[in-house]
Amino acid sequence: MTTEAGSETEVKENAEEKSAARLDQSKKATEKTQEVVEEGEAEKEKEGKGITRYLPTWFKKQKSQSQTSPTKEDPPTEEPVSKVNQEEAHVPEVNGHAEEVEEKEQVKEKESESHSNASADTEPAGEEKVEESAQKSLESTEETQEVAEKEEDKKEVEKDRRQGQTSIFQSPLRLVRKNKMKLVVCHVTLLDGSDFTCEVEKRAKGLFLFFKVCEHLNLLEKDYFGLTYKDHHEQKCWLDPTKEIKRQIRSNNWQFAFNVKFYPPDPSLLSEDITRYLLCLQLREDVASGRLPCSFVTHALLGSYTLQAEIGDYEPDQPRPLDYINQLTFAPNQSKEMEEKILELHKSHKGMTPAQADCQFLENAKKLSMYGVDLHHAKDCEGVDIMLGVCANGLLVYKDRLRINRFAWPKILKISYKRNNFYIKIRPGETEQFESTVGFKLQNHRSAKRLWKVCVENHSFFRLNAPEQPPKARFLTLGSKFRYSGRTQNQTRMASTLIDRPAPAFERTSSKRISRSLDGAPMISITDTSREAENGHEPHLELHSDSKSPGRVRGDNIYVRHSKLMLEDHDKTQDEVLKHQASVSELKRSFMEASPPSPPQLNLWEKHLTSSPATATRVQQQTVTTEVEIEETVVVQEISKAAKPAEALQTWEGQVQGGAGLEKKRESISSESESDEEAEYHPNVSLSIRHAQIPEEKEEEEEEQERKELSASSSPVEFNQAAAAVEDEGKDCAEEEKKEVGAEEPMKTPDKAPNGMTPHEEVMCVTTEEEELPKVNGEDSVVEARSQVICCSEPPVVKTEMVTISDTFAAQKSEIATKEVPIVHTETKTITYEAAQLDGSGDGEPGVLMTAQTITSESLCTTTTTHITKTLKGGLSETRIEKRIVITGDCDIDHDQALAQAIKEAKEQHPDMSVTRVVVHKETELAEEDD
Amino acid sequence: MAAGLMAGFGHYTHAIVRGIPASLASEALRSIQAEVDVTKARREHDAYVHALRTTLGLQVVELPADETMPDCVFVEDAAVVCGDTALITRPGAESRRRETEAMKAALKELNLNVVEMTDESATLDGGDVLFTGREFFVGLSKRTNQRGAEILADAFKDYAVSTVPVMEGLHLKSFCSMGGPGLIIIGSSEPAQKALKIMQQMSDHRYDKLTVPDDLAANCIYMNLSNKGHVLLHCTPEEFPESAKMFEKLKDHMLIPLSNMEKVKVDGALTCCSVLLNKKADN
């Protein structure tokens, strides 16, 4: 409204032509253009996308504010109509909005603007739009309002536009905003192979479309299902319900498929036949396509139940011609023999109702070993092709058809991915002392992330009683934004028991789908991500997720970025162990919760460590649950060299025999390949926590040292550094935060809360899109990153990786304590191998230190891993991992071999990093000889 | 019972066994040098067959011994039968490859879907295959390799097939076997316990275990017969007094001790001497 007037078309054109300087206006304009109905939709979309995308969130906000503010000042609540009219009269642009309304109504005459306005007011559809617009305006306004927005969102989703009842006209803002909505047509392939077409607003979220589909299907037990779309690599992806559809799909292809997302382990527990029917349809497809492998006999058996369900009893009088049956696809390699077998078995099902046949079908299908297993191609650390299967029980590892490993959810402490690597941290077994981390290589970053997401969702759905609650303010930490949003299986079962409706009638179509499946039509594709994505592209996805964009707080908050996944710990047996094992980070978190990020932590921290009663209250979750931490890595792009696998420098310190203290040397920034500078952050660690860690570690080390009475020269230095870091925490971190990607900020800085951001909201922000590809330059990234814009204006964005400190500390301590008898005389030898360094290594710069440990349970070795993320001058950050490996043993150890092995392992664990420095510190015990 | 996937674990109607050639005494493969008394061995084997046929009422198909195949009595290694499908193996010991021929013929005779392992790089001994009713565990041993396990997985697609390294002993089933649905009988040696751990970790199902002091005693034959209920053929107290006692804990089982003193000298265990299958009348 503040912008210049003009005919709409003019505006459009203008918008397109406008320079970046006038982003505000242009953006607005573009949005309008988008709204100009379907003709040339694609084009428009492009435009719209093109420009709007590149707009930083805050730009948008500004814009919207500017838009809204004038209206606000107008006679407040009154009848919006009049306002609109007024505006129209004065400002031509307003018409654009009105027109939009029209569009919704399918009236497309530009001429009758005023008329359309009026109609818009009365139209329910219009109202809905209004709501939406309201939301947007809200978004743009203070973050505090975002909560409200959330609610609105929900309303929106649930009520759909057809409901006009809501108080649409609460605020004039809405009207204004509303106009931006444009409808698009979505095509959804249903499980029976038919297509469902519906219109949604262009900015509708995934959930909205999903609900529409479920409504169409008359499906109440929706939680097992989801919508998929194909990304531009032809990969099937799950549509995130919490995000705008258009931000997820590519190339304006509004094509979706309705699929089973979580295969209920026991379908007989489903409440309604219709749900089972849909599950059957999915499984028939899975079986026919070979995705769910089964034997000849099973194919025949399942096929016979399908026949019974679809065509009823076998009729002896008019035996089914085989040619009928062979039009149906029951198996990938369907033979005559199989068809005969199917018919034969079909005869035996006489009298079975379709629902019963479905039940039988499911009872058999569910026993198949690959039932509900979502397979992903990967390589193990040795580069061997394997498949990772995610299912209700955990993660399965296959080589060819053989299961070679399995990690049940309760065994998994942390799930993370970093670039194309996917890691799980495993709880130590009874006899093992240390956690171990298992890494897999995915084809590319996208696949790694997709796998990670699937894991997060499956774990949440099957293992949790309820999705994680949005973390409290202090819980907020850096970390992945993505969480499972829907109901868990438990919840959905509960909900199902409340279903109170007569069994809905539905028609069992004679497998359109089945016959279609041959052409590979709609099926959930097993991930066969074979394409290497361009480096320039994939990494960006993350940016979004991380970006903290207050303006984009999502309403339904389904995927809440949360500090961690909590595993319900049903296995009480391990309780003790678990408690102990609950990673230190959790302690830290609780610790943090208890106290603001300030110096005193040390003491508190110690208390926690000793698990004083005081702790108990704070560590609520810990007591009850085991956690799985989900860690997501973010890739930030920077100026860099060609896509090179290794980016972050890794400092490597191998210390042989009787290890000395950690040396923390800062090496220069690593070479960042263009898209890859990456940072990883740990969900659990929040700012204060981080600081807490330092003391902790230091302390630890000191203790160790004291015990050993080692004369490691390097250690003092280290400690100093650590101490320095601690001291600096306030300043440094604050600075760092700013530089860091937005997402982190909310979590780290409790102080921000005062600014009007409640933690909750922030959580949601995180949810934002990840789909878009930021370009290498600051500009582009702005688009996606929204709030990140800020970061981008300063050169690179810093991401940090934080890894949990786990009780391995304790374990290590004790181990050392027992093993290492104080030795008086030692001989110390230190060898340093250093890789060529880049300039500007910021040795002198105090980085913020984050520590973590991963300990392998090698008999001879103890490994301490320290992740250090530092912020350097340019706002660059680097993550370095320092490993300290203590190899203890008698003199017959082959040190070189041990070292080589250690280096090799380190490389394997962090294939993306390079070893830049190896310090060998050798201590030989002289005691015996001397004494 | 209605046709259903994975129903009827331990239901058997037929057993395939094979006679003991005289060459067993001197030529059969063995891991420890020992003198084998063929007569005694035959006596044991007769008791074994008698139990299957008479005591338990199975239809026993008896293949004639072949002097050129000293190990031929251990038919288990030649085929893995599950449901209607029989996988003819490719035994890890070169000298035993021809044992499969007679087995294949017998299984075809019984109208099973016979799948052959033709891959030259694959080896599999049936003694390395533990079928629990819900899944397979395949021991990777001196006799069985990954490729063999893969082919088995292909033959029995309904089931998960997990591999388990066999550190000691000849076969996976040299120290374990099923004692009932969801019950694994396991030896107490360290390798056995380790293998059990692996199996438990790899499985989506929970298994109870019955640990017996002697690894060899852990090799039993479980059946669930319509007129007998749970049946367990196990070692005699003479051989393994401590272990034999353990089986008395299985209150619901019909316990049939069978002596295996001679065959064990050539690494033969109870399961080795038969291939059990369930041939329903209607099929």
Side-chain angles (χ1 to χ4, degrees), chain A residues 293-295 297-298 301 305 341 364 367-369 393 396 399-407 430 571, chain B residues 3-6 84 134-135 146 149-150 153-154 157-163 197 201-204 283:
Chain A
C294 50
S295 65
V297 181
T298 305
L301 184 64
Y305 287 126
K341 184 78 178 171
N364 285 285
K367 293 177 189 163
L368 295 168
S369 80
N393 295 322
L396 303 165
K399 181 162 180 302
D400 295 307
R401 307 192 47 101
L402 299 175
R403 186 183 290 182
I404 57 173
N405 213 339
R406 172 178 176 273
F407 303 98
E430 304 147 26
D571 328 47
Chain B
L5 199 45
M6 303 184 195
D84 293 341
R134 293 303 303 267
E135 64 192 314
Q146 180 98 7
E150 279 166 23
D154 256 339
K157 290 198 179 74
D158 295 347
Y159 301 95
V161 178
S162 307
T163 54
K197 277 241 163 61
Q201 188 199 321
M202 300 277 255
S203 176
D204 296 323
N283 287 342

Side-chain angles (χ1 to χ4, degrees), chain A residues 361-389:
Chain A
F361 179 97
L362 293 175
E363 281 309 293
N364 285 285
K366 77 174 187 190
K367 293 177 189 163
L368 295 168
S369 80
M370 298 305 285
Y371 172 83
V373 177
D374 184 15
L375 287 177
H376 298 250
H377 288 281
K379 288 183 193 299
D380 67 10
C381 56
E382 284 161 1
V384 177
D385 283 319
I386 55 167
M387 298 285 267
L388 293 175

Side-chain angles (χ1 to χ4, degrees), chain B residues 113-191:
Chain B
N113 295 319
V114 171
V115 181
E116 293 188 67
M117 191 175 283
T118 49
D119 191 325
E120 298 272 303
S121 65
T123 63
L124 181 89
D125 275 14
D128 276 317
V129 179
L130 178 68
F131 178 63
T132 69
R134 293 303 303 267
E135 64 192 314
F136 285 97
F137 292 105
V138 178
L140 298 180
S141 68
K142 299 182 194 83
R143 299 284 179 81
T144 299
N145 64 21
Q146 180 98 7
R147 185 69 192 124
E150 279 166 23
I151 292 172
L152 179 128
D154 256 339
F156 303 104
K157 290 198 179 74
D158 295 347
Y159 301 95
V161 178
S162 307
T163 54
V164 184
V166 175
M167 268 82 78
E168 263 174 48
L170 181 63
H171 286 138
L172 176 64
K173 281 194 284 190
S174 297
F175 51 76
C176 68
S177 64
M178 294 307 291
L183 174 66
I184 295 178
I185 300 175
I186 185 82
S188 53
S189 74
E190 194 181 317

Side-chain angles (χ1 to χ4, degrees), chain A residues 37-38 101-109 183 199:
Chain A
V37 217
E38 22 246 316
V101 177
E102 281 186 19
E103 293 172 7
K104 268 200 174 177
E105 300 166 17
Q106 311 290 346
V107 185
K108 298 174 184 175
E109 306 145 84
L183 293 181
E199 285 186 328

Side-chain angles (χ1 to χ4, degrees), chain A residues 7 23 65 78 82 160 169 201 243 305 333 380 425 445 483 485 572 639 649 722 724 750 778 876 898 909:
Chain A
S7 77
L23 279 177
Q65 279 182 351
E78 295 201 14
S82 61
D160 263 22
F169 299 109
E201 278 162 2
K243 293 180 190 162
Y305 287 126
N333 304 309
D380 67 10
K425 187 191 264 182
H445 175 264
R483 287 299 180 269
S485 58
K572 293 269 163 145
I639 11 106
L649 290 190
L876 283 176
Q909 268 179 16

Side-chain angles (χ1 to χ4, degrees), chain B:
Chain B
M1 105 222 114
L5 199 45
M6 303 184 195
F9 176 60
H11 291 257
Y12 299 115
T13 57
H14 290 65
I16 299 175
V17 298
R18 196 165 191 179
I20 296 181
S23 55
L24 175 101
S26 51
E27 291 167 50
L29 302 172
R30 66 206 74 189
S31 41
I32 302 164
Q33 279 311 319
E35 290 294 314
V36 180
D37 183 332
V38 178
T39 319
K40 271 193 194 165
R42 283 185 174 146
R43 210 178 300 139
E44 272 174 15
H45 194 57
D46 288 345
Y48 182 92
V49 175
H50 177 83
L52 297 179
R53 179 182 286 144
T54 313
T55 316
L56 298 175
L58 298 182
Q59 305 233 21
V60 177
V61 177
E62 219 169 341
L63 304 177
D66 186 327
E67 286 301 329
T68 65
M69 304 174 199
D71 290 297
C72 68
V73 62
F74 305 123
V75 289
E76 174 186 50
D77 292 325
V80 177
V81 179
C82 180
D84 293 341
T85 303
L87 172 69
I88 306 300
T89 66
R90 192 166 176 278
E94 179 100 43
S95 62
R96 301 191 57 192
R97 301 263 159 85
R98 286 189 306 119
E99 292 176 23
T100 58
E101 290 164 12
M103 179 57 69
K104 183 169 71 183
L107 290 167
K108 280 193 168 155
E109 187 73 14
L110 288 165
N111 275 326
L112 271 77
N113 295 319
V114 171
V115 181
E116 293 188 67
M117 191 175 283
T118 49
D119 191 325
E120 298 272 303
S121 65
T123 63
L124 181 89
D125 275 14
D128 276 317
V129 179
L130 178 68
F131 178 63
T132 69
R134 293 303 303 267
E135 64 192 314
F136 285 97
F137 292 105
V138 178
L140 298 180
S141 68
K142 299 182 194 83
R143 299 284 179 81
T144 299
N145 64 21
Q146 180 98 7
R147 185 69 192 124
E150 279 166 23
I151 292 172
L152 179 128
D154 256 339
F156 303 104
K157 290 198 179 74
D158 295 347
Y159 301 95
V161 178
S162 307
T163 54
V164 184
V166 175
M167 268 82 78
E168 263 174 48
L170 181 63
H171 286 138
L172 176 64
K173 281 194 284 190
S174 297
F175 51 76
C176 68
S177 64
M178 294 307 291
L183 174 66
I184 295 178
I185 300 175
I186 185 82
S188 53
S189 74
E190 194 181 317
Q193 291 294 319
K194 225 173 196 171
L196 176 68
K197 277 241 163 61
I198 292 173
M199 290 192 280
Q200 286 171 331
Q201 188 199 321
M202 300 277 255
S203 176
D204 296 323
H205 310 287
R206 281 187 174 266
Y207 293 103
D208 295 324
K209 61 169 179 179
L210 175 66
T211 307
V212 296
D214 309 284
D215 278 5
L216 288 174
N219 182 292
C220 305
I221 300 174
Y222 166 79
M223 297 185 211
N224 184 356
L225 302 179
S226 49
N227 50 350
K228 303 274 188 304
H230 300 289
V231 176
L232 193 72
L233 309 186
H234 62 84
C235 63
T236 58
E238 291 74 40
E239 284 171 277
F240 302 108
E242 294 304 311
S243 295
K245 256 183 238 162
M246 300 299 292
F247 298 117
E248 286 162 18
K249 290 183 179 171
L250 302 172
K251 301 287 184 211
D252 296 336
H253 287 52
M254 170 180 178
L255 298 174
I256 304 179
L258 283 176
S259 172
N260 196 43
M261 290 172 117
E262 285 308 310
K263 284 185 281 188
V264 78
K265 293 176 184 168
V266 283
D267 300 320
L270 289 178
T271 58
C272 297
C273 303
S274 61
V275 169
L276 302 172
L277 47 117
N278 184 21
K279 192 103 192 67
K280 281 161 262 161
D282 56 341
N283 287 342

